[in-house]
Amino acid sequence: MSARAGIVVTGTEVLTGRVQDLNGPWVADRLLELGVELAHITICGDRPGDIEAQLRFLAAEGVDLIVTSGGLGPTADDMTVETVARFAGRELVLDKELEATIGDIVTRLMARFPNVDPDAIRASNRKQALVPDGAHILDPVGTAPGVVVPGTPTVVVLPGPPRELQPMWPRALQTPAVQEAIAGRTTYRQEMLRMFGLPESGLADTLREAERTVAGFDRLEITTCLRRGELEIVTRFEPDAADSYIGLVALLREHHGEALFSEDGSRIDDQIARLLAGRRIATAESCTGGLLAARLTDLPGSSAYVVGGAVAYANQAKAEVVGVDPALIDTHGAVSEPVAEAMADGALAKFGADTAVAITGIAGPGGGTDEKPVGTVCFTVKLADGTSVTRTMRLPGGRSDIRERSTTVAMHLLRRVLT
Amino acid sequence: MSARAGIVVTGTEVLTGRVQDLNGPWVADRLLELGVELAHITICGDRPGDIEAQLRFLAAEGVDLIVTSGGLGPTADDMTVETVARFAGRELVLDKELEATIGDIVTRLMARFPNVDPDAIRASNRKQALVPDGAHILDPVGTAPGVVVPGTPTVVVLPGPPRELQPMWPRALQTPAVQEAIAGRTTYRQEMLRMFGLPESGLADTLREAERTVAGFDRLEITTCLRRGELEIVTRFEPDAADSYIGLVALLREHHGEALFSEDGSRIDDQIARLLAGRRIATAESCTGGLLAARLTDLPGSSAYVVGGAVAYANQAKAEVVGVDPALIDTHGAVSEPVAEAMADGALAKFGADTAVAITGIAGPGGGTDEKPVGTVCFTVKLADGTSVTRTMRLPGGRSDIRERSTTVAMHLLRRVLT
């Protein structure tokens, strides 16, 4: 019997759907990797009675570990620590050292807000230094500390903001209480493949074939997910089923070699970063309005190969800033392959780049025609040596889908040109 | 005492985070509109034991209504109806009329797949015509029917795909069993305020003051949430507590008039869109790499006022594309107020714009110095009439936080200049 866990997500803004919960799925993934079986995720508002009811429910269901997120802030509606202490039958005690740590952090933050009374702030943050007696403290990543409260079940209390929760998780994992709680886990391997340019049903077909032809296929737990226009295939298996996984990958490679761009789970963004090493790239974007440049510069170190980009949203900007001949726009329309090519040429020339990507399209909701409906997007990738690929696609979805999907198509076109 | 409800989301793909749950937040919104108090959302996999445990938990918590989503398909792992029947102590009975309805739908669907044995399909779909005795049937939108099972609590069983669940909801609402379950609901008003430039703990201070000075403050249910560098304050109250809400807003306006930019819940993006009507804006971005241009063009209709933008990531691009004097960069550094000002000038000139925003900063993780640490970002907003505001900020967080937060700061600086 594997170790079982439950997740309690707190926050009225999450319960009411105003903020999308990112912590439940993220922690679920981590538990899965560890081989801990996740039974329940429960979500409630900032009401101690509801939080406590969920903790009791999970305990009654016999989970070994509960992970909570949210409700650790300085305001009065943040009550998770207090509630967990009551649930675990432990007193709240003031941790002087933690109080000093939080005080330091807050004083530094407050330097930017000269009008706020620092004493009042410190008082409101003292609340955050109250921890259940005997709990293990996880030092703040932002201003809120987490705690690990040993018991049956052990409760890991983490802050709500994902950028605070995620770095805290490995530290929680190292505590003896958590190690003990998850001692019964099964070890799994988990591998991820990524594909682009294959419909989900095409993959389903191949998986049915694999069921017949790959020995031990039933020992592979496969989940597929369509995301950002790419297919993610996650396979979970016990280590001795590795040969079956190798058989599956071989079959996918055989049938979908073109589409299968990542066998080690690496993202297209990381692959492009490697391919751009030593190059100088510039972008020229219309409908994506800067999203491609933003995506390329999302990675640390991208200043080594990104020169810059032009967002040529208005036709006038296409002409004056990127140097597209206005006659080309008059003849073919702003969304056309000749204009995409001219935009790529302009990006190469204006930015002194050796690699250029241009995107022009109709993201909607207006602006579509019978001939060029909403979702029509033209792409050009061009290198200084004259190599050039141009494609026109019809992308599905609404405005933001089309814009985001366009950046993914551009990344894959770039990959094809650079490999 | 208001009517209370719980939501049970089923599906292993949702529990493990492979598929984002859209039904919980959607149903939560509908319940909120109705004035039904939502206490819990619970998520579990396709295991009858876990589903039943969640139903029992919610019943024990005294909810009047449970809404489930998912697990209504024809395959063996879809077991929600069976589980709800057992929970409600009702037999499963075959509904002949429903069987015929599903048969018709499936026959039509299968016409496209001539190789599939229609008898086998019909048999597997007969399962979907088994309903709890005495339940109210909700005719399929796709192929799966929903059911309303009267009781204490009443359970509404809906399919997982949002495009099937959403049209079925109003029909479920009309059934006598649901009407009875939600009879005790209270009508609430909900209002949202937004602030920028105030730390959450500063707000906490004022809320503590409000507790003492605003009459009827305890009748206001206030939740605060820090998002994208802004504070969202949502207040829910019964209509006759409106005066207390007015008192709260007056106090916030008095203490934080500068920070309080939205009293009607409108987002800064929409406010900026309105302020830009009739104008022509261009951007010049360094560290944000196109994020600001992407944000401005995120809204439909933005082509009316966005001319374009330059992503001047490399210094060479700042000089050649935006026209920043290289001597300025040599003297003050690329991240400096004079360079931000020159970038704004360049955006006005190169794009023929009347409104420009420039951002240059250090997003990290590398590139920081003692004098200009990671997070140092300079902003200029400049209008064609010469009006100009420049600010330098130190923003917290990691690379992506700094980049995103920078776009929010820029939007608010723009708002201040345009109002």
Side-chain angles (χ1 to χ4, degrees):
Chain A
M1 175 62 188
S2 177
R4 270 165 65 97
I7 300 173
V8 173
V9 176
T10 72
T12 302
E13 71 287 2
V14 175
L15 180 70
T16 56
R18 261 182 299 110
V19 169
Q20 185 196 333
D21 170 45
L22 299 172
N23 294 329
W26 190 87
V27 174
D29 251 7
R30 299 294 80 70
L31 293 170
L32 209 68
E33 284 169 4
L34 283 170
V36 175
E37 192 179 298
L38 174 62
H40 304 273
I41 298 177
T42 63
I43 306 173
C44 64
D46 299 310
R47 279 183 289 216
D50 291 341
I51 299 173
E52 202 172 340
Q54 295 190 345
L55 294 170
R56 278 188 279 107
F57 164 64
L58 293 173
E61 287 295 298
V63 302
D64 305 287
L65 180 71
I66 297 176
V67 181
T68 75
S69 85
L72 304 188
T75 51
D77 60 343
D78 290 314
M79 284 175 294
T80 306
V81 171
E82 199 184 319
T83 307
V84 169
R86 193 165 49 239
F87 163 76
R90 291 170 186 261
E91 294 285 310
L92 276 184
V93 294
L94 181 69
D95 190 293
K96 287 278 180 193
E97 199 180 323
L98 180 58
E99 190 185 10
T101 306
I102 297 173
D104 285 352
I105 294 170
V106 170
T107 308
R108 237 181 305 128
L109 280 177
M110 286 308 113
R112 291 183 294 134
F113 300 98
N115 297 330
V116 178
D117 173 9
D119 284 340
I121 294 291
R122 260 197 291 279
S124 98
N125 280 279
R126 165 177 286 219
K127 166 180 169 293
Q128 296 179 294
L130 290 168
V131 297
D133 194 16
H136 181 99
I137 295 167
L138 304 167
D139 276 342
V141 174
T143 66
V147 289
V148 175
V149 185
T152 312
T154 286
V155 186
V156 176
V157 180
L158 299 176
R163 68 172 186 285
E164 299 185 24
L165 176 141
Q166 295 178 9
M168 222 178 255
W169 173 252
R171 287 195 256 141
L173 210 55
Q174 282 163 18
T175 61
V178 171
Q179 283 300 318
E180 199 175 305
I182 66 172
R185 71 189 191 273
T186 315
T187 313
Y188 286 101
R189 265 184 62 193
Q190 181 167 308
E191 299 287 347
M192 186 187 277
L193 304 170
R194 292 177 196 269
M195 292 187 166
F196 179 75
L198 181 74
E200 208 167 1
S201 47
L203 175 64
D205 252 12
T206 306
L207 290 180
R208 270 190 295 274
E209 183 183 332
E211 212 174 324
R212 294 190 309 272
T213 62
V214 174
F217 179 80
D218 59 344
R219 301 196 55 207
L220 305 176
E221 188 186 323
I222 301 170
T223 51
T224 64
C225 174
L226 192 63
R227 184 148 46 173
R228 272 192 149 187
E230 296 171 353
L231 268 175
E232 289 178 3
I233 304 146
V234 175
T235 309
R236 200 162 158 254
F237 52 93
E238 292 181 45
D240 64 349
D243 283 349
S244 305
Y245 182 68
I246 292 170
L248 171 68
V249 175
L251 187 74
L252 291 172
R253 211 184 281 138
E254 187 188 317
H255 285 26
H256 312 292
E258 276 275 288
L260 182 65
F261 70 91
S262 171
E263 295 192 8
D264 60 359
S266 62
R267 301 176 313 147
I268 185 69
D269 299 68
D270 296 310
Q271 297 186 1
I272 290 295
R274 280 195 294 275
L275 291 168
L276 286 174
R279 307 195 70 95
R280 298 167 50 75
I281 190 169
T283 57
E285 305 178 60
S286 181
C287 64
T288 46
L291 279 181
L292 180 63
R295 188 165 171 180
L296 286 169
T297 57
D298 186 48
L299 294 182
S302 49
S303 57
Y305 50 81
V306 177
V307 190
V311 179
Y313 214 59
N315 285 347
Q316 174 209 338
K318 290 184 185 68
E320 288 174 19
V321 180
V322 191
V324 177
D325 181 353
L328 219 50
I329 297 176
D330 288 344
T331 311
H332 303 282
V335 177
S336 63
E337 298 197 347
V339 169
E341 284 160 20
M343 286 170 68
D345 283 332
L348 286 175
K350 298 274 175 181
F351 287 90
D354 58 26
T355 309
V357 188
I359 305 176
T360 178
I362 303 157
T369 63
D370 280 353
E371 198 201 343
K372 294 177 186 171
V374 167
T376 305
V377 186
C378 303
F379 301 86
T380 293
V381 172
K382 190 157 191 178
L383 306 183
D385 69 7
T387 309
S388 174
V389 177
T390 296
R391 292 273 181 286
T392 300
M393 313 275 286
R394 287 213 187 147
L395 302 177
R399 180 176 176 86
S400 63
D401 301 315
I402 292 166
R403 279 162 47 100
E404 198 189 315
R405 186 75 65 93
S406 293
T407 67
T408 301
V409 171
M411 296 293 268
H412 284 278
L413 207 58
L414 192 52
R415 177 177 173 273
R416 208 174 302 170
V417 172
L418 294 179
T419 48
Chain B
M1 172 64 188
S2 175
R4 267 166 66 98
I7 299 174
V8 174
V9 176
T10 74
T12 301
E13 72 287 1
V14 175
L15 180 69
T16 57
R18 298 270 148 250
V19 169
Q20 186 197 332
D21 171 45
L22 300 173
N23 293 330
W26 190 87
V27 174
D29 252 6
R30 298 294 80 69
L31 293 171
L32 209 68
E33 283 170 5
L34 283 170
V36 175
E37 192 179 300
L38 174 61
H40 304 274
I41 298 177
T42 64
I43 307 174
C44 64
D46 298 310
R47 279 181 292 213
D50 290 341
I51 299 173
E52 202 172 339
Q54 295 191 344
L55 295 170
R56 276 187 281 107
F57 164 64
L58 293 173
E61 286 296 300
V63 302
D64 305 287
L65 179 73
I66 297 175
V67 181
T68 77
S69 84
L72 304 188
T75 52
D77 60 342
D78 289 314
M79 284 174 295
T80 306
V81 171
E82 199 184 319
T83 307
V84 169
R86 194 166 48 240
F87 163 77
R90 292 172 185 258
E91 294 285 310
L92 275 184
V93 293
L94 181 70
D95 190 293
K96 286 281 181 192
E97 199 179 323
L98 179 59
E99 189 185 13
T101 306
I102 297 173
D104 285 351
I105 294 170
V106 170
T107 307
R108 236 180 305 128
L109 280 177
M110 286 305 116
R112 288 184 294 136
F113 302 96
N115 298 328
V116 178
D117 173 10
D119 285 340
I121 295 290
R122 260 196 292 279
S124 97
N125 278 279
R126 164 176 288 217
K127 166 179 169 291
Q128 295 181 294
L130 290 168
V131 296
D133 195 19
H136 181 98
I137 294 167
L138 304 166
D139 276 343
V141 175
T143 66
V147 289
V148 175
V149 185
T152 312
T154 286
V155 185
V156 177
V157 180
L158 298 175
R163 68 174 184 286
E164 299 184 25
L165 176 141
Q166 294 178 10
M168 220 177 256
W169 173 253
R171 288 195 255 140
L173 210 56
Q174 283 163 17
T175 61
V178 172
Q179 283 300 319
E180 199 174 305
I182 66 173
R185 71 185 188 274
T186 316
T187 313
Y188 286 100
R189 265 181 62 191
Q190 181 169 307
E191 300 287 347
M192 185 187 280
L193 304 170
R194 293 176 196 270
M195 292 188 168
F196 178 75
L198 181 75
E200 202 170 4
S201 39
L203 175 64
D205 250 15
T206 306
L207 290 180
R208 270 190 294 274
E209 181 182 333
E211 212 174 322
R212 295 190 307 272
T213 62
V214 174
F217 178 80
D218 59 344
R219 300 194 58 207
L220 305 176
E221 188 186 324
I222 301 170
T223 53
T224 64
C225 173
L226 191 63
R227 182 151 51 169
R228 277 188 147 191
E230 296 172 354
L231 269 175
E232 288 179 4
I233 304 144
V234 173
T235 309
R236 201 159 158 258
F237 52 94
E238 293 181 45
D240 64 351
D243 282 348
S244 304
Y245 183 69
I246 291 169
L248 172 68
V249 176
L251 186 73
L252 291 173
R253 211 184 281 136
E254 186 187 316
H255 283 27
H256 312 292
E258 275 275 288
L260 181 65
F261 70 90
S262 171
E263 295 193 8
D264 61 359
S266 62
R267 301 178 313 149
I268 184 70
D269 298 70
D270 296 310
Q271 296 186 2
I272 289 295
R274 280 195 295 275
L275 291 168
L276 286 174
R279 307 194 72 94
R280 299 167 49 75
I281 190 169
T283 57
E285 304 177 61
S286 182
C287 64
T288 47
L291 279 180
L292 179 63
R295 187 165 172 179
L296 287 170
T297 57
D298 186 48
L299 295 181
S302 48
S303 56
Y305 50 81
V306 177
V307 190
V311 180
Y313 213 58
N315 285 346
Q316 175 209 339
K318 290 183 184 71
E320 289 175 18
V321 181
V322 190
V324 177
D325 181 353
L328 220 49
I329 298 176
D330 288 344
T331 311
H332 304 280
V335 177
S336 63
E337 298 197 347
V339 169
E341 284 160 18
M343 287 170 66
D345 284 331
L348 286 175
K350 297 275 175 180
F351 287 90
D354 58 26
T355 310
V357 187
I359 305 177
T360 179
I362 303 158
T369 63
D370 280 352
E371 196 201 345
K372 294 176 187 173
V374 167
T376 305
V377 185
C378 304
F379 302 85
T380 294
V381 172
K382 188 154 191 180
L383 307 184
D385 69 7
T387 310
S388 175
V389 177
T390 296
R391 290 273 181 286
T392 300
M393 313 274 287
R394 285 212 188 148
L395 302 176
R399 181 176 175 85
S400 62
D401 300 314
I402 292 166
R403 282 160 46 97
E404 198 189 314
R405 188 73 66 92
S406 293
T407 68
T408 301
V409 172
M411 297 293 269
H412 284 279
L413 207 58
L414 191 53
R415 175 175 174 275
R416 208 174 302 171
V417 172
L418 294 179
T419 47

